[in-house]
Amino acid sequence: MKKKYVISIIIIIIILLLISLVVLFFWPPKFELTKGQNITLKYGQKYKEPGYKVTKFGHDYSKNVKITNKINKNKLGTYDIIYQVKINGLTFKQIRKVKLIDKEKPKITLTGNQNITICPNKEYKEEGYKAIDNYDGDITSKVQVITKNNIITYKVEDSSGNKTELTRTITKEDKTSPTITLKGNQSQTIYIGESWKEPGYTAADNCDNDLTSKVITSGSVNTNKVGTYKINYTVKDSTSNTFSIDRTVKVINKPVKNNSTVNKGIIYLTFDDGPKEGTTNVILDILKEENVKATFFVTNSGPDSLIKREYNEGHTVGLHTATHNYSTVYSSVNNYYNDLLQVQNRVKRITGYESKIIRFPGGSSNTISKKYSKGIMTTLTKDVVNKGYHYFDWNVDSDDAGSARSSKTVYNNVVKNLSKNRANVILMHDIKPQTRDALKSIIQFGKNNGYSFDKITMSTPMVTHGVNN
Ligand code: ZN
């Protein structure tokens, strides 16, 4: 009986041992995922394994873990990461859920400025926009455009519900004045008795375009009375921005021209383009010997000392041109005066005298100026007189700047064209040796034939050509 009892207890113990062995064998390990079973990942962010630990009865099995990563980084969604470990032929498993989400807002870009000013009479025309999302790509077609008063709102939402909003402000205003462009010169000069006709104008505005018909002119020109007249041109655009401009029309007396009854039989020797060493100095010597006064229309060339001598010896120092370059001198009224002032200042610097006696390069009848500025001689011939200058052309041409190359030809050209019935203004150039060499004979011919000599002064009546440009 006792023996049987002992055996039974042993059997029970063995059975219990066996059971606990089996239980221990199948007992699961401690399988831990760092950061838990659910994690969130932002779209575009790279998945980085946070870690794990597998232990059973103090033994670390972490090295044996095999990981299967099912994440598709290009597509939003929830993905499994499967961790598996084999212990004694048994497989244990853990799953981590990774949620790939998009939290980034789409971006809207506007073509043109965010603040736009347009004319009050115009409607805003959409300048364009674009919406790009980090996940959806181009979602421009999903943009909602809402216009309220002067604010345009652009709204867009991506497939994950991220929203973006942008506004554009449209301001309707016109702060720019219209402009009036006058045809013809702003400052005009006419001789008394001549007719004057409005040369015309145009008016333009940034918002209203052509406003010519809205221009209001006031003022008039009395062509029969010397004076300065103002014509005013004013225009208003539809927002009442105003522009106003004046044109000045000067009516001046016709200059006294030479005629047969004034200064009959006087010879005015005139010399252009100098001074020049070698010719001008000899000419001055001859004039001194013959006791004759002449007129020099000087340029910016040659020595100052010869201009000083011309002046000191009682001749008239007139103004020709500083540069004698037609393309600059006649390119505009302003350029003409710039050139003239240069030579006027030179003479003033040397002599202290402000000469107002001029000769146009090429004469007032020149046609070369047409090439550079149409109508400039018509303007200048009046304008210089208006400014107090007297200009002189000639009625006897020695042709020493042309085909007269010998002193004999120069002499002949002069003497055959002299007349007792008028003042004789002779065109010569003191830079020409043939003129220098003909001068003594010309003076002697004049003296022997009853002519007298004089220099041009401000009281000498102008001898002028007809204007051809
Ligand atoms: Zn000249």
Side-chain angles (χ1 to χ4, degrees):
M1 272 310 271
K2 220 178 180 179
K3 200 177 173 186
K4 209 178 173 184
Y5 180 70
V6 170
I7 287 165
S8 304
I9 284 177
I10 288 169
I11 288 168
I12 287 166
I13 288 168
I14 288 168
I15 288 169
L16 282 172
L17 273 169
L18 282 172
I19 288 169
S20 43
L21 272 174
V22 167
V23 169
L24 284 175
F25 183 79
F26 286 102
W27 197 259
K30 198 178 170 197
F31 200 154
E32 283 176 330
L33 298 180
T34 316
K35 293 205 172 158
Q37 276 180 313
N38 293 300
I39 63 170
T40 311
L41 189 64
K42 278 185 195 156
Y43 179 73
Q45 209 175 29
K46 212 179 159 190
Y47 175 74
K48 218 181 127 200
E49 179 53 50
Y52 44 84
K53 200 164 188 183
V54 187
T55 50
K56 189 172 172 180
F57 305 135
H59 192 276
D60 193 336
Y61 291 95
S62 303
K63 277 183 198 149
N64 302 355
V65 173
K66 279 190 181 137
I67 302 171
T68 315
N69 181 338
K70 302 216 163 165
I71 295 175
N72 176 358
K73 65 177 167 55
N74 298 316
K75 200 169 176 261
L76 301 182
T78 307
Y79 298 100
D80 289 350
I81 309 240
I82 302 158
Y83 303 80
Q84 282 178 300
V85 66
K86 256 185 184 174
I87 301 170
N88 303 325
L90 293 172
T91 304
F92 300 93
K93 207 172 166 183
Q94 275 283 30
I95 294 177
R96 199 195 304 259
K97 299 270 179 199
V98 177
K99 204 172 175 188
L100 187 58
I101 58 162
D102 174 25
K103 284 264 185 186
E104 208 175 305
K105 288 176 178 180
K107 276 198 182 90
I108 298 177
T109 34
L110 300 180
T111 310
N113 291 329
Q114 221 173 332
N115 294 300
I116 289 182
T117 303
I118 58 167
C119 287
N121 56 354
K122 302 250 158 71
E123 282 310 312
Y124 171 69
K125 217 181 133 228
E126 181 52 52
E127 292 196 20
Y129 50 83
K130 204 165 188 181
I132 301 289
D133 184 58
N134 64 323
Y135 181 67
D136 298 331
D138 191 332
I139 50 169
T140 305
S141 62
K142 288 191 177 167
V143 175
Q144 265 184 291
V145 183
I146 302 143
T147 307
K148 203 176 169 195
N149 300 324
N150 10 329
I151 293 171
I152 302 172
T153 308
Y154 305 82
K155 283 183 178 176
V156 76
E157 188 176 337
D158 70 9
S159 55
S160 302
N162 299 305
K163 290 174 191 173
T164 298
E165 199 177 299
L166 199 63
T167 58
R168 175 156 26 213
T169 310
I170 310 298
T171 309
K172 286 193 174 191
E173 67 176 20
D174 176 19
K175 287 191 169 173
T176 309
S177 292
T179 53
I180 296 174
T181 310
L182 298 180
K183 290 180 183 168
N185 288 327
Q186 198 179 349
S187 170
Q188 305 194 331
T189 306
I190 59 165
Y191 290 135
I192 193 162
E194 277 185 351
S195 64
W196 184 80
K197 212 185 131 211
E198 170 58 49
Y201 48 82
T202 55
D205 184 60
N206 62 320
C207 288
D208 299 321
N209 302 323
D210 191 352
L211 282 179
T212 305
S213 62
K214 297 270 165 73
V215 174
I216 295 165
T217 63
S218 62
S220 61
V221 179
N222 183 351
T223 58
N224 293 314
K225 199 173 169 232
V226 169
T228 302
Y229 300 92
K230 265 196 178 136
I231 311 283
N232 177 266
Y233 307 78
T234 300
V235 73
K236 251 186 200 179
D237 69 10
S238 52
T239 356
S240 286
N241 295 309
T242 308
F243 182 84
S244 188
I245 189 173
D246 287 333
R247 193 197 303 269
T248 309
V249 182
K250 286 178 184 168
V251 177
I252 62 169
N253 278 317
K254 231 172 181 163
V256 186
K257 288 200 183 182
N258 196 33
N259 57 53
S260 56
T261 62
V262 183
N263 298 336
K264 268 187 188 176
I266 292 179
I267 290 174
Y268 295 95
L269 299 167
T270 71
F271 300 96
D272 290 7
D273 295 2
K276 194 185 177 192
E277 195 63 58
T279 46
T280 308
N281 53 320
V282 179
I283 285 169
L284 284 166
D285 293 343
I286 295 167
L287 293 170
K288 200 185 230 173
E289 280 164 33
E290 295 290 337
N291 195 24
V292 163
K293 301 294 176 229
T295 306
F296 293 87
F297 291 103
V298 300
T299 66
N300 261 14
S301 65
D304 287 356
S305 58
L306 286 175
I307 290 182
K308 180 106 187 135
R309 224 191 118 185
E310 287 165 4
Y311 183 75
N312 287 346
E313 292 178 9
H315 304 292
T316 292
V317 182
L319 312 173
H320 191 31
T321 162
T323 61
H324 217 303
N325 184 342
Y326 293 121
S327 65
T328 29
V329 172
Y330 290 136
S331 57
S332 69
V333 170
N334 266 347
N335 286 354
Y336 171 78
Y337 283 113
N338 284 340
D339 176 89
L340 182 67
L341 278 181
Q342 279 181 54
V343 68
Q344 188 178 43
N345 288 337
R346 182 191 189 197
V347 171
K348 197 174 177 185
R349 176 174 55 77
I350 299 166
T351 66
Y353 148 82
E354 189 172 72
S355 180
K356 292 225 150 191
I357 295 169
I358 62 179
R359 172 168 288 157
F360 289 108
S364 69
S365 56
N366 79 79
T367 49
I368 192 159
S369 57
K370 243 184 230 178
K371 242 167 95 177
Y372 310 110
S373 185
K374 242 189 134 198
I376 192 169
M377 296 317 299
T378 308
T379 305
L380 286 177
T381 46
K382 288 171 185 169
D383 205 50
V384 293
V385 174
N386 194 38
K387 285 189 157 74
Y389 295 92
H390 287 185
Y391 72 92
F392 288 83
D393 291 312
W394 55 88
N395 50 22
V396 178
D397 187 356
S398 71
D399 204 25
D400 61 348
S403 56
R405 303 277 165 82
S406 69
S407 57
K408 197 169 180 345
T409 322
V410 171
Y411 172 83
N412 286 335
N413 285 343
V414 172
V415 300
K416 75 172 183 218
N417 286 307
L418 290 173
S419 167
K420 284 269 183 58
N421 296 319
R422 62 173 189 202
N424 298 276
V425 180
I426 305 173
L427 172 67
M428 292 180 286
H429 296 81
D430 54 321
I431 57 169
K432 298 288 183 185
Q434 66 271 35
T435 300
R436 170 196 65 197
D437 299 342
L439 184 61
K440 200 162 181 100
S441 312
I442 290 169
I443 293 172
Q444 274 164 9
F445 175 91
K447 286 181 175 174
N448 293 334
N449 290 277
Y451 289 93
S452 60
F453 291 86
D454 205 353
K455 61 180 179 182
I456 290 171
T457 67
M458 286 302 276
S459 49
T460 309
M462 283 165 56
V463 172
T464 59
H465 293 163
V467 171
N468 295 314
N469 174 29

